[in-house]
Every structure is written in structure tokens, then in C-alpha cells.
Amino acid sequence: MAARPGTPASPKNFKIQPPQPGQPLYGCEHVQRLFNQDQATTNTSIQHYKAILRNILDYSPINAQTAKAAEGPTITTSLTSTYLCLQCPSTLTEDDCVKHGNKKSHRFYVDSRSGALYCQMCDDIVWDPTFEDLRLTKIGTGSFTASRKRKQDDLLAVDPVKDNPQYISTNTTVASCKASGLRGIYNAGATCYQNVVLQSFLHNPVLRNFYLSDGHQSSNCEVPYCLSCAMDDMFQDFYAVENTNGYTAANILSGFWISEKKAFENLVTTKEQDAHEFFQFLAEELHERNGDGKKPETGSEHSCNCIIHQTFYGKLQSTTTCQHCAGVTNQVQSFLDLSLPLENLTQKKGKKSGNAKAPAMTLQECLDEEYIKSDKCEYRCHSCNSMQQARRQTAIKCLPNVLSIQLKRFEFKQGRNERAAKIETPVHFPLQLNMLPYTERARTGDTKENFELARSCTYDLLSVVVHVGEIDTGHYVSYCRVGDQWFAFNDHKVELASKSDVLGAKAYLLFYIVRSLA
């Protein structure tokens, strides 16, 4: 007997979720009307929703973020959410949703980033049990049915392969909607020296995490023209708002110019100023607004738990040894940055090489000169109770989380014609810097092989500030690292940069972050 020919399968009729105690049966009255029209409409709506979830969760995030304008052939890929129509295969921007809804009478959309259902008539995301169950099942299992057959123990079981950090990093992508802080800052009239310092602060992960986690409560701050409030606003604008246009640092400028700090009143002009001085001013101001309110005293071991001290401040120890009685005196003081002179070392190397042109140096040579070699000096020895010849050596007792280094390119020449001069000597600096040789531990011999000790003294380059041109008419630019990529910041212009561009720059300020935090 011949086999009976097969018949096409009947379309599956979808059912809405059965009522549960304490839960609504529908997301809103408009979803209720949609489901109660007829079975075909219910089937089509659920099939479309499942297809949209596959598009969002199974493919590249860029697919769901790409929309076609309601009028014209323009296709755009948006950083913010787009909306996938539940009733037709259209992907729309937020602005085009209203036009599409009025034209087609389609009122339900799916958020391209979360898969949540949006009701245009409610003007809100609605929680519908039927759609939400499909969404959570798809997210949790990758399909729409597997979760019902799996036990809870299976869902919570540890997978040694998939829980491996390397597996996770190689099988995930950064969300396309992420605001990365890549924005330029407009020059408000010779303010490039401020812009480069602000960019280094904005791309400092320690400061970024502090301000983005409401470390400074701007809403409760009563200080007029508070610079920390202005910094908080700036971080929010750079990392919470998906905008790539240039930023006008009006609040920073007003807070800076109205500051009562007379020591920095020379910076409040429209002339080109020193980026290092502005860095010191901004750090001290933010310390006073977030710390104990006391101005750090030069040469003292000032300590504070504010964000600036946690980020930039370290401690130096100077050891003076009397050449008569061998008595030792130690003095500890805090530092915001390390200033490395270039002129004397340039002259020394020039004499040794016999080259009239200033030879290139390395950052390590500059650090050796200051924190490994000792100098002769005279001081009053308490043991001898008289002035004696001595040798003084300075080493780093406590390293900061972010190490800031100034290469002193601007020197004031005294004499008949007093003038400031710029030192153009190239200084080669590394992407990774080992600071262990310059610490007190290295001097005392306490450097047993220890992974954690080596890690705590290893730094990665974070940002570079460069002064180009003459001393009075020059310009500041900066390079900052975002993830593994470098970018050049020239006021409001932001461009991709290579490592060779960064390492070939004549640095003025260098910012390194300890590897354990990087």
C-alpha cells in the first residue's frame, strides 16, 4: 500500500502567558488590544518579536544599530538605540519613530540594545509577560525553548572553558553605544595649555571612576564656581553623553579665573602659559575641594585621603650622610610630580660626545641623575654640632598610582640679559617604565624577587603633553591612550595616532599609570 503523502504542517498558534498571581496579564492596554484582535495577529506579532531578538542577539550589534531614514535613502549607524518595528521589517531612529507610526499606524518597537518592548502610545518601555519570557529565554539559552528543559543546576554550573577570562575576552565585543570620551576641547583664546591637562585628567581611569561614581557630590556642593563640580560636569559630558563634538570648558575656565589663589594669578590671562603650572594648580584646587581643605606644604609629608592624593601623590626620602662622623639624617616629603632637569645633563653628554648639537637622552638617564646618584652638600650635623661636608641622595619611598613627570624644558637664564630659554633636547621615553631602581627598597638592598613588588613598580604610559614651537608663541598638543589605541588631541581636533608618533614626540609632561591599575 502506498504511503500517504505528507501534508504541510499547520502554523503553530502561539499562546500568551497564562495569568500569574501578582503579575499583569499584558504589558499595557495597547498590547492587550493587539493580542485580542485575532490569532493570526498574535502569531505574527510573536514571530516578528522572535525574529527581532535573533537579529539583536545572534548577529553583530551593528546590524540592529543601522537605520534607514524615513525620507530618502540615507543609511546611518547610530551609537544610541534604534527601534525595530514589531509590525514591519523597519529599523528606525528615535526621531523617525513618530513619522513611521503616524504614516503606518505601527505603534510597537523593540529597543536595539536591550530587546525591550516600547509602546509609542504609552511613550514608555512596557513589561509584557509573554514578550519578556521570550527575551529572557533567548538571552539565557540562545534559543526560545531550551530553558524549559534545563534544570536550574545546569544553568548555574561552572563551565571551565566558557568561564575562562581569555575565552570571554575573545568572544565578546565592546558595545557600540559606549561613550569613550573621545572629544576635543575648544580653544577659548590661548587655552591649549589647559586643554592638554584636562585631556590627561579625562583619560585617567582613577579620576574617571571617581567622578563617574559620584565621588564629588555636585548636587550637595555649596562652593561657588567649584572646580570639582566643573570637572564632574565635564566627565559626565564626555562619558555619559554620546557626543563627539568639541567641548567648551566654560565652567572650568570660570572656576579657574575666579579662583582666590593669588599664587597662580599669572595664569589668568589670555597669553600662552605653562601647562605644568596649570596641572599643579588644578591638582591643588581639586585636593582642597575633595580633601581636608589644607593646602599641601612644599617639603612636608602632607597626607590626605582625597582623590588627588590617591592618584598623584607619592613620597620622597632624602638621606644625608655626614662625611665626618658618618651620621645619617632622613627627611621624607610628599611630591605631586617628579621634575627632571635637562640642561646640566645635556651639557654633560655634549662634552663627553664632543658634539655641539644636543645629543638625545633617555628618561632612565634623567631618573638616574636625580634618584640614584648622590651629590655633595654642606649641612649642620647634629652629632658633630657643626657644619660638615656631606653626601645627599634622594630616592622614592612611596610610588603613586599615577606617576606624573615633568621634563624641565623651560629654563630661566640669569645674567646681563635675563631671559627664558627652551631646551629642545630629545628625550626617549618607554611605553613601560620600571621604577624599582629609583625606590628606597632598591637603595637598601630589599629587592628580593617578588612578582607583586615588581608589578607595583611597573608603569604603563597613559598620556603625553608636548610643547611645539617657540617658548612665547608655541602651542600644546597631547597624546592619550584609550584602551590599546593612541589618539592625538589638538584642541577640538582628535585624530588616531600610532605608537611611533607618541614615542617620537618631544615630551614636556608624562603620565604613567601603575600596571596593577591599568
Side-chain angles (χ1 to χ4, degrees), residues 2 117 210 220 447 516:
L117 182 69
F210 172 79
N220 299 329
T447 57
S516 57

Side-chain angles (χ1 to χ4, degrees), residues 51-52 55-56 61-72 74-78 80-97 100 106 108-113:
I52 289 171
N55 188 22
I56 294 173
I62 296 176
N63 291 353
Q65 299 289 129
T66 303
K68 184 176 180 181
E71 298 176 1
T74 306
I75 296 176
T76 59
T77 300
S78 172
T80 56
S81 288
T82 56
Y83 294 87
L84 289 79
C85 182
L86 186 67
Q87 294 153 285
C88 75
S90 297
T91 302
L92 306 151
T93 63
E94 186 176 3
D95 294 335
D96 288 334
C97 277
H100 181 78
H106 294 173
F108 299 99
Y109 303 92
V110 180
D111 186 299
S112 63
R113 284 154 59 175

Side-chain angles (χ1 to χ4, degrees), residues 283-299:
E284 289 184 18
E285 186 77 9
L286 295 179
H287 151 70
E288 292 190 32
R289 293 290 171 260
N290 296 287
D292 55 18
K294 298 178 181 178
K295 181 178 179 180
E297 298 178 7
T298 304

